[in-house]
Amino acid sequence: MIELSEVHKTYPGGAEAVRGVSLTVPQGALCVLIGPSGCGKTTLLRLINKLLPLSGGAIRVAGRDIAGEDAVSLRRRIGYAIQQVGLFPHMTVGENIAVVPALEGWERRRIQERVAELMSLTGLPPGYAARYPRELSGGEAQRVGVARALAADPPVMLMDEPFGALDPVTRERLQDEFLAIQGRLHKTVLVVSHDMDEALRMGDRIAIMRDGRLEQEGTPAEILLHPATPFVREFLGVERAFAQLARLPVTMALDAKWAAAAEPAGLSFAGNTPVKEALLAMAAGNVRAARVTGEGERSGGVVTLRSIAALLGSGRKGPPERPAAAAGEKSAGAESE
Amino acid sequence: MNRRTDRLAAWAGAAVAVLLLWAAYAAGLLGYLLTEPGEVLRLLGQHVVLVLTSGATAVTLGLGLGIAISRAPLRRLAYPVIAGVSLGQTVPSLALLALIFALVRTIGFFPAYLALTLVTLLPIVRNTYQGLLGVDRDILEAGRGMGMSARQILWRLELPNALGAIFAGIRTALVINVGSAALAFLIGGGGLGDLIFSGIDTRRNDILIAGALPTVILALAVDWLLGRLERVVVSRGIRADG
Ligand SMILES: Nc1ncnc2c1ncn2[C@@H]1O[C@H](COP(=O)(O)OP(=O)(O)O)[C@@H](O)[C@H]1O
Ligand SMILES: [Mg+2]
């Protein structure tokens, strides 16, 4: 768990990079820190592993206040991937990945096994272990950067735009691979991004920063459905909302006003069907409403063209008629009951 | 520069050298070298000892000083040290020798050793300092962020990455050292300068050549050896020819 409370950072020159940020990344969660360039994201990460001294506030990692911790041993427990990747050019890929295990004094054999494991985990061919960083493409270098940060199995990871300089295809693939890794390892991750799609794709939670302040923090659905400020709304963008229909489950778009008794016949979707898919199927079938089957504790219901439109417009016009249960707490507008 | 042109140049150089040697032999310039090989070897031995002792001292001190002034607490000293070093390099070796002689007021091995050490120190300090300063900041940030101590960053990141520049400094310095050691004779330090200056004094070109030729060969050998060492020590990941 990473807990920031009222964190401030003013650089020696007087630049106020972080102005009172309180943020918690729960144990095992992946939080994407997003915001425009220069809003203080990198600064915030560097405060957490004590690369920079705090100007105010407090930070706790795994329950311990970092103020009282030795910087070097704190950093050994926090995997860190810097924005510029920063692979060591005089070391091979294998040696780069092995840096922290070697610092920790692992046996050679265990290090070798670990390097091989991480290379396969991050999709690097085994033959690459003997290559030097200058012999890698940008995407390969970023994989090595991620593998290196994961090497000693740190419970907490800080990653600064780890997929930043990649073409969209490679980026999506790396994002997926990282999500698969995270699905198995359940680390507490704070990853910086400046790309909203990446944030929505990867984040269990999203924290949006602007000018050194936290504008909003919440689950992707909460943020999509209830942008807290005009800035967040604009940052999300309306086109973005369309793109998000592909990611949100249809249970997010249930129509509360549809009488349960009058269930439409014909089309029916599983609860985890993306809204966009449902919308396309409804358009193709020329129906205005379709059934959504329940899933786990979530009850099913009915999705209508109107309720989808409401979800789509929520980025602009406020909340939809009936926000899903999971997104209830932080409602920005009035409920329509 | 590619390997093929390198090799071609080496062969051409060797051919010219053999030709010159033959010409020298034909002109009787190798007379002393061939009749008194024992004396030449003795002086070569002195020369090598001067080079090795002063070179080793200079490399040790130069690396230490270069590292020291690149550390944050001492970086204020870097400018005056480098400025002093550069000034020192503009002083001719001969003048430096005279200066040291005037200071220590003895002749023999010691003042020669001292002067040679100073001459050799300068390029090493400067290249070490500049090499360390030139290491990519991102690498250091990554190392620090991964939990390396200042010492580990120096030994595992900064020095290995500055090694190319450091080696360039050491090579230059030691080649200068071999040449300057020929002046040691002037203050009783021995070495091949004995033959060179005697040859000049007595107008015996064969004696001069008996001193100059081994000096040149020694300089080339030192440069070649350091080049080999560099290939072993500097990582292929950062070598220009890697
Ligand atoms: N070392 C520094 N010294 C002074 N100001 C800095 C330094 N690093 C960053 N800043 C300033 O702090 C602000 C936040 O920077 P940064 O955290 O790098 O932003 P981001 O990562 O979100 O792009 C910027 O205005 C930047 O100019
Ligand atoms: Mg940044």
Side-chain angles (χ1 to χ4, degrees):
Chain A
M1 186 147 81
I2 304 170
E3 296 158 280
L4 312 181
S5 60
E6 276 304 305
V7 167
H8 284 264
K9 177 61 193 181
T10 306
Y11 279 107
E16 282 185 72
V18 179
R19 320 172 184 216
V21 169
S22 297
L23 172 69
T24 297
V25 184
Q27 181 90 37
L30 189 158
C31 175
V32 179
L33 183 62
I34 188 170
S37 180
C39 71
K41 307 180 295 291
T42 297
T43 303
L44 203 66
L45 284 201
R46 299 180 75 226
L47 289 168
I48 296 172
N49 61 8
K50 285 185 101 169
L51 285 171
L52 287 174
L54 277 170
S55 305
I59 298 178
R60 298 165 76 82
V61 174
R64 303 222 297 262
D65 191 328
I66 64 165
E69 295 222 40
D70 172 56
V72 167
S73 69
L74 174 75
R75 291 175 198 145
R76 295 277 176 86
R77 288 183 281 117
I78 300 179
Y80 182 44
I82 70 165
Q83 192 167 357
Q84 303 81 358
V85 190
L87 295 184
F88 304 142
H90 61 299
M91 295 184 186
T92 61
V93 166
E95 288 165 350
N96 264 284
I97 297 174
V99 165
V100 181
L103 290 175
E104 292 283 294
W106 291 18
E107 281 171 36
R108 255 185 71 175
R109 168 133 213 154
R110 185 165 162 225
I111 291 180
Q112 278 171 359
E113 283 167 8
R114 182 65 180 152
V115 167
E117 182 188 352
L118 282 163
M119 289 185 65
S120 93
L121 201 64
T122 51
L124 289 161
Y128 276 45
R131 286 203 184 189
Y132 283 95
R134 68 173 172 191
E135 299 163 336
L136 302 177
S137 72
E140 289 161 353
Q142 293 210 304
R143 283 167 200 261
V144 178
V146 171
R148 185 172 71 168
L150 283 166
D153 204 15
V156 176
M157 303 267 296
L158 303 175
M159 305 202 294
D160 202 345
E161 307 204 19
F163 315 122
L166 299 177
D167 62 279
V169 177
T170 312
R171 179 185 308 189
E172 278 207 15
R173 205 168 59 224
L174 273 188
Q175 287 166 353
D176 284 345
E177 280 167 18
F178 187 80
L179 285 178
I181 293 169
Q182 170 66 359
R184 280 161 54 190
L185 305 179
H186 302 294
K187 299 192 174 296
T188 304
V189 186
L190 185 57
V191 49
V192 167
S193 175
H194 63 248
D195 173 11
M196 197 66 200
D197 280 329
E198 179 166 278
L200 291 163
R201 199 181 163 82
M202 297 190 70
D204 299 318
R205 311 190 66 84
I206 296 174
I208 300 173
M209 271 184 88
R210 175 204 192 186
D211 284 343
R213 293 198 174 83
L214 196 61
E215 287 277 310
Q216 188 174 8
E217 192 273 338
T219 65
E222 279 167 6
I223 285 176
L224 272 180
L225 297 175
H226 311 294
T229 66
F231 172 78
V232 173
R233 210 162 289 169
E234 200 174 309
F235 203 71
L236 287 165
V238 178
E239 313 80 48
R240 188 94 51 195
F242 271 104
Q244 290 334 303
L245 290 186
R247 310 211 199 287
L248 291 175
V250 71
T251 47
M252 298 296 299
L254 295 183
D255 191 338
K257 290 191 173 147
W258 194 278
E263 273 189 1
L267 273 180
S268 154
F269 302 110
N272 62 359
T273 309
V275 178
K276 189 176 170 192
E277 210 172 287
L279 180 62
L280 289 176
M282 287 164 74
N286 197 20
V287 297
R288 304 187 60 82
R291 215 146 44 79
V292 176
T293 55
E295 189 191 33
E297 62 239 57
R298 263 192 200 165
S299 58
V302 171
V303 62
T304 63
L305 291 182
R306 195 171 57 105
S307 67
I308 293 175
L311 175 63
L312 194 56
S314 65
R316 288 232 135 132
K317 295 170 198 128
E321 283 138 325
R322 202 208 100 184
E329 313 128 31
K330 271 201 177 177
S331 179
E335 301 278 350
S336 59
E337 312 285 278
Chain B
M1 183 74 112
N2 71 47
R3 293 254 170 94
R4 233 172 113 180
T5 53
D6 265 3
R7 189 157 302 168
L8 220 64
W11 278 111
V16 169
V18 168
L19 218 66
L20 281 176
L21 268 180
W22 180 78
Y25 173 74
L29 287 175
L30 299 184
Y32 190 84
L33 197 62
L34 296 174
T35 52
E36 301 284 347
E39 176 64 2
V40 174
L41 273 181
R42 187 180 68 83
L43 292 172
L44 176 64
Q46 286 181 354
H47 205 101
V48 168
V49 167
L50 269 173
V51 169
L52 284 183
T53 51
S54 63
T57 312
V59 168
T60 314
L61 278 180
L63 281 174
L65 201 58
I67 291 170
I69 58 172
S70 71
R71 301 302 91 188
L74 294 182
R75 210 163 285 167
R76 287 177 301 118
L77 297 180
Y79 182 73
V81 170
I82 296 293
V85 159
S86 304
L87 191 72
Q89 272 190 299
T90 62
V91 178
S93 303
L94 198 60
L96 195 65
L97 215 59
L99 212 66
I100 296 282
F101 175 58
L103 281 176
V104 300
R105 298 180 152 278
T106 83
I107 58 166
F109 173 81
F110 184 66
Y113 159 80
L114 219 56
L116 282 176
T117 301
L118 267 183
V119 169
T120 316
L121 190 62
L122 310 179
I124 300 178
V125 175
R126 196 173 51 186
N127 276 41
T128 302
Y129 173 74
Q130 283 169 351
L132 288 172
L133 226 62
V135 176
D136 187 357
R137 300 284 102 186
D138 295 338
I139 298 171
L140 306 183
E141 164 88 358
R144 223 152 71 85
M146 292 163 75
M148 287 188 176
S149 64
R151 207 189 179 142
Q152 287 163 335
I153 288 173
L154 173 64
W155 285 100
R156 294 178 194 218
L157 301 184
E158 297 187 80
L159 282 174
N161 279 295
L163 225 46
I166 293 175
F167 255 97
I170 293 179
R171 272 171 93 159
T172 312
L174 288 191
V175 169
I176 293 174
N177 180 304
V178 171
S180 305
L183 300 175
F185 162 74
L186 298 177
I187 51 172
L192 292 163
D194 192 336
L195 296 172
I196 296 174
F197 288 105
S198 307
I200 293 172
D201 277 352
T202 58
R203 306 201 171 196
R204 285 274 304 275
N205 280 340
D206 64 327
I207 296 184
L208 191 157
I209 292 285
L213 195 60
T215 306
V216 169
I217 293 173
L218 187 62
L220 290 175
V222 164
D223 191 47
W224 181 81
L225 268 175
L226 283 171
R228 301 303 298 183
L229 188 63
E230 183 175 348
R231 290 184 65 84
V232 175
V233 175
V234 180
S235 159
R236 191 164 68 74
I238 53 173
R239 271 204 318 261
D241 63 349

